[in-house]
Every structure is written in structure tokens, then in C-alpha cells.
Amino acid sequence: MKKICFVCEGNICRSPIAEYLMKDLLRKEGMDKDYEVFSRGLTNETRGEDIHPLSKEQLDKHHIPYGPHKAQKICFQDYADSDYVIVMEQYNILLLRRLFLLKSQDAKVRKLLSFTGSSKDIDDPYYTRNFAVAYADIEKGCKAFLEYLKKRYQEEAK
């Protein structure tokens, strides 16, 4: 089973949206048994908090199921055990490098929108207050990531 860890700063807005959206996409494709999907943050500031209410509002609006959530900071074991560490912005990569003393870019660490061919960051709606734009960007990234996984899945099945 492959592990996918979505990462944002506090694990209450962007990464939980990505986690639950990706779980839903994988389930609809019948690929959910092949992937463990979870999310983490890069700080302890929001540790233990639930998904931000406006993030939940976006998930509800798009009929994406979610469960109980308690924000957690990524630990080295989460990082080491994951096949994919998917971040929302360049600053997340910088924080990961500092946190785990990484000397160079690890191939398993990618920005979510890189799967769309874009180098764009997904802005933090906690600060911008634009949860609809963040959701749309995350959805675009997750759908492109799903297509990437489907191609890899087919290659591995051969």
C-alpha cells in the first residue's frame, strides 16, 4: 500500500481538504485499497484542532465526506514512511527541509499544483479568507495527481 501525506502549515485548511478530496477521488476510481491518505501540518500552533469551519463548508458544498480530524504536525516517521509528500506551496518545502535537515529536494516531495504543470502555490485561505479559490486549486491539483497515479498504477500492473 502506497502512502500519501498532504502537508500545509497548520493542518486545518488546505491539507485536510486535499486529504478528504483525494480519498473520495480514489474511492470513486476503485483505487482506495491501494493508498493510505492522510494529512499533516508543519507547525504545532493548531495541534489538536478540527478542520477549519470554512474548509468544512467547502467540503460539504462539494459533497466530500470527512471524518473526525485533529491537526497534527508531521514527524520524521510520517515523512520517511510516505511515498508521496504533497505540499501546497514553496514555503512548505522550505519548512520541511528545515524540519528534517534535508540537504536537497526529495523526489517524493512535490507541490500539488505541479501535477497540473503549474509552479503556482495554493494560497492559504486562513489568511486570504478565500476558501472557494483554495478548494478549486486543491481540486484541480488532486484530479491531476489522480491521473498521475492512474498512469503509474497501470504501469505497475504490467
Side-chain angles (χ1 to χ4, degrees):
M1 177 176 282
K2 303 259 185 205
K3 292 186 178 186
I4 301 168
C5 180
F6 287 102
V7 178
C8 70
E9 192 167 335
N11 191 220
I12 60 170
C13 295
R14 296 170 292 175
S15 60
I17 289 174
E19 172 188 351
Y20 291 108
L21 179 56
M22 195 71 203
K23 284 178 178 178
D24 190 58
L25 291 170
L26 288 167
R27 181 186 55 77
K28 288 175 180 173
E29 289 292 327
M31 296 169 62
D32 52 322
K33 304 267 187 290
D34 299 309
Y35 295 92
E36 179 184 335
V37 181
F38 61 102
S39 63
R40 296 290 187 263
L42 289 159
T43 69
N44 274 321
E45 292 174 23
T46 53
R47 184 175 180 210
E49 288 185 25
D50 196 2
I51 301 170
H52 192 285
L54 295 175
S55 287
K56 282 184 178 182
E57 188 177 285
Q58 289 299 312
L59 291 167
D60 290 339
K61 180 180 176 183
H62 294 91
H63 310 289
I64 304 299
Y66 55 89
H69 178 83
K70 288 187 177 189
Q72 296 180 56
K73 182 179 179 183
I74 191 170
C75 67
F76 185 75
Q77 203 61 51
D78 294 329
Y79 172 80
D81 290 347
S82 294
D83 297 284
Y84 302 97
V85 178
I86 309 300
V87 302
M88 303 297 138
E89 60 183 292
Q90 191 63 37
Y91 184 60
N92 298 155
I93 294 172
L94 176 66
L95 290 178
L96 269 176
R97 285 182 182 163
R98 286 183 183 167
L99 188 61
F100 301 130
L101 304 175
L102 304 176
K103 295 189 186 318
S104 62
Q105 178 68 22
D106 185 336
K108 71 179 169 182
V109 178
R110 299 213 14 213
K111 289 195 318 186
L112 182 56
L113 287 178
S114 73
F115 294 98
T116 69
S118 173
S119 61
K120 183 178 178 263
D121 288 341
I122 298 173
D123 293 329
D124 192 340
Y126 187 85
Y127 300 107
T128 67
R129 308 313 283 173
N130 202 333
F131 285 79
V133 169
Y135 182 90
D137 284 344
I138 292 166
E139 181 180 46
K140 188 186 314 175
C142 282
K143 286 181 175 180
F145 183 38
L146 176 66
E147 291 305 312
Y148 170 85
L149 292 176
K150 285 165 66 174
K151 286 178 188 169
R152 297 211 40 158
Y153 185 83
Q154 290 167 351
E155 290 168 5
E156 290 173 5
K158 290 181 181 180

